Amino acid sequence: MSDVERIETRLDTEATVSIVVPCYNEEEVIGTFHQRLVSEISRISDVSFDILFVDDGSSDETLSALEAIEATDGRAKVYSLSRNFGHQAALTAGLSVATGNAVICMDADLQHPPSLIGRMIESWKAGCDIVWAVRKDTEGVSFVKTGSSRLFYRLINAISDTPIIPGAADFYLLGQAPLQALRSMPERHRFLRGMISWIGFRQEFIDYTAQSRNAGTSKYTYRKMIDLALDAVFSFSPRPIRLISKAGVVVAALGGAYLLYVIAMLFLSPRVVPGWASMVGVVCVLGGFQLIATGIIGEYLARVFEEAKGRPLYIFKRKPEPEERHTS
Ligand code: UDP
Ligand code: MG
């Protein structure tokens, strides 16, 4: 299908857009989020929406709050995972069940302003396949979080072949073609931003300033952030393992040169080189280096193991009642 035909299809038929919202312990904010979202989307004409909430095994009252929303809003559908599988798995679950012509993913804490949805849909209707909302600034976020986020994007862009725009978080619109492409990618260690950037198509960017969280605290613990960063690095690039082999060549060459020097000294110098200190030094450096190398190989092996197990990425414990799509 040509670009023009694709755009015409989007304009001819009434578009349906699914909004996927992963929620983990968001009882304090979910009601406000829903109100703000609904007031924004009801201003958008020619598009029918459904809102897919994915409860990521919350331990607070998020699920019952969502069920209350589902009971009053025909557009809302609530899915719930059997435990906390993590943000990326919850998003993947939502993407797999979304039925709209396009899907928008956004956070539940109002850090992703619903007011951008209109512009995202306009870009999509104008022929763009993927529309990213890119955070230019975040209000009220700690220096550690901003700094670590900057460092993270710098690192991933330095080593990965897939460019990732700094500030492009999991707030984007995906048209049908990228959605299908994404669904065909079964990998377990998911870094969706990287995967979406990788699949190509026509991608556009809209800037925004993120507000501080509307209520509650961040659900991304440092551990979860580190896990995500590791997934981003190791699932996207074989470069670290190659760097290690290149560094290995350099270290071996230096070691060889040093050995030649030691042998030469043995013949040229009347005193035998005591050598103990340098031996220990070399052993330490090489020992450390080998440990790092083993660790990196282990990272990839662990991933091969995870992929080979082929476990499902998430398990639903609740799905909405099957019913006709709401169209208004
Ligand atoms: N989230 C999730 N599972 C998790 C952690 C977070 O579904 O294990 C959701 C969370 O409810 C929110 C979004 O992912 O809708 C982003 O999380 P958060 O706002 O805590 O991250 P931050 O904005 O602090 O990076
Ligand atoms: Mg947040």
Side-chain angles (χ1 to χ4, degrees):
M1 211 194 280
S2 75
D3 270 3
V4 176
E5 280 170 324
R6 280 222 311 264
I7 297 165
E8 277 170 359
T9 323
R10 282 171 204 181
L11 297 177
D12 283 352
T13 49
E14 192 192 52
T16 56
V17 172
S18 303
I19 300 176
V20 169
V21 189
C23 312
Y24 177 54
N25 291 349
E26 300 286 11
E27 62 178 2
E28 289 157 282
V29 71
I30 201 69
T32 325
F33 168 80
H34 177 248
Q35 277 169 11
R36 290 264 292 276
L37 179 67
V38 164
S39 85
E40 285 298 334
I41 60 180
S42 50
R43 280 194 240 154
I44 302 169
S45 52
D46 306 333
V47 177
S48 71
F49 286 94
D50 54 12
I51 311 167
L52 309 181
F53 289 104
V54 183
D55 163 48
D56 184 16
S58 298
S59 53
D60 66 358
E61 291 306 311
T62 301
L63 182 56
S64 41
L66 289 175
E67 283 169 344
I69 291 173
E70 190 184 46
T72 55
D73 182 357
R75 287 168 290 208
K77 297 194 172 78
V78 177
Y79 291 82
S80 180
L81 305 185
S82 58
R83 65 168 172 83
N84 180 232
F85 281 89
H87 185 202
Q88 304 293 303
L91 281 170
T92 306
L95 290 172
S96 72
V97 293
T99 51
N101 304 123
V103 177
I104 294 175
C105 294
M106 65 193 300
D107 288 357
D109 58 1
L110 285 168
Q111 285 195 295
H112 296 163
S115 54
L116 289 184
I117 291 176
R119 281 171 62 200
M120 292 169 110
I121 291 176
E122 269 168 37
S123 286
W124 170 62
K125 283 190 168 175
C128 183
D129 298 295
I130 298 172
V131 191
W132 296 86
V134 181
R135 178 190 64 209
K136 281 291 152 203
D137 237 326
T138 310
E139 291 171 357
V141 162
S142 75
F143 175 74
V144 178
K145 190 133 188 169
T146 330
S148 56
S149 157
R150 246 185 235 149
L151 188 74
F152 167 69
Y153 282 110
R154 226 181 246 167
L155 176 74
I156 181 77
N157 278 319
I159 62 156
S160 164
D161 303 326
T162 315
I164 294 164
I165 307 293
D170 289 299
F171 185 20
Y172 34 69
L173 176 148
L174 304 171
Q176 205 42 236
L179 188 61
Q180 295 305 340
L182 208 57
R183 283 181 184 151
S184 72
M185 293 160 76
E187 61 215 65
R188 252 112 271 283
H189 283 276
R190 297 176 88 79
F191 179 59
L192 282 165
R193 276 162 248 184
M195 292 163 71
I196 294 168
S197 172
W198 180 85
I199 54 184
F201 295 106
R202 198 174 136 193
Q203 313 203 356
E204 272 174 22
F205 304 88
I206 300 175
D207 292 346
Y208 73 98
T209 301
Q211 314 278 302
S212 54
R213 224 172 201 284
N214 188 274
T217 52
S218 173
K219 306 301 175 297
Y220 257 94
T221 54
Y222 284 113
R223 193 180 148 194
K224 280 184 177 169
M225 276 164 59
I226 290 168
D227 281 352
L228 186 69
L230 287 179
D231 281 348
V233 171
F234 291 106
S235 303
F236 269 84
S237 172
R239 218 168 272 179
I241 212 164
R242 288 189 196 136
L243 266 181
I244 284 291
S245 1
K246 282 181 193 155
V249 172
V250 173
V251 171
L254 289 176
Y258 187 65
L259 196 67
L260 287 180
Y261 164 79
V262 171
I263 294 170
M265 287 309 278
L266 213 61
F267 290 109
L268 299 179
S269 163
R271 277 192 309 133
V272 175
V273 183
W276 186 82
S278 51
M279 276 305 285
V280 171
V282 169
V283 166
C284 285
V285 169
L286 283 186
F289 185 76
Q290 279 168 352
L291 278 183
I292 297 172
T294 315
I296 290 192
I297 293 167
E299 275 296 336
Y300 286 101
L301 256 187
R303 275 162 171 70
V304 171
F305 173 62
E306 293 287 338
E307 303 290 336
K309 272 196 295 191
R311 284 199 189 159
L313 270 172
Y314 49 81
I315 299 163
F316 285 120
K317 71 172 175 199
R318 178 198 195 276
K319 287 183 177 182
E321 295 290 315
E323 55 168 348
E324 287 297 300
R325 273 184 65 83
H326 186 82
T327 46
S328 73

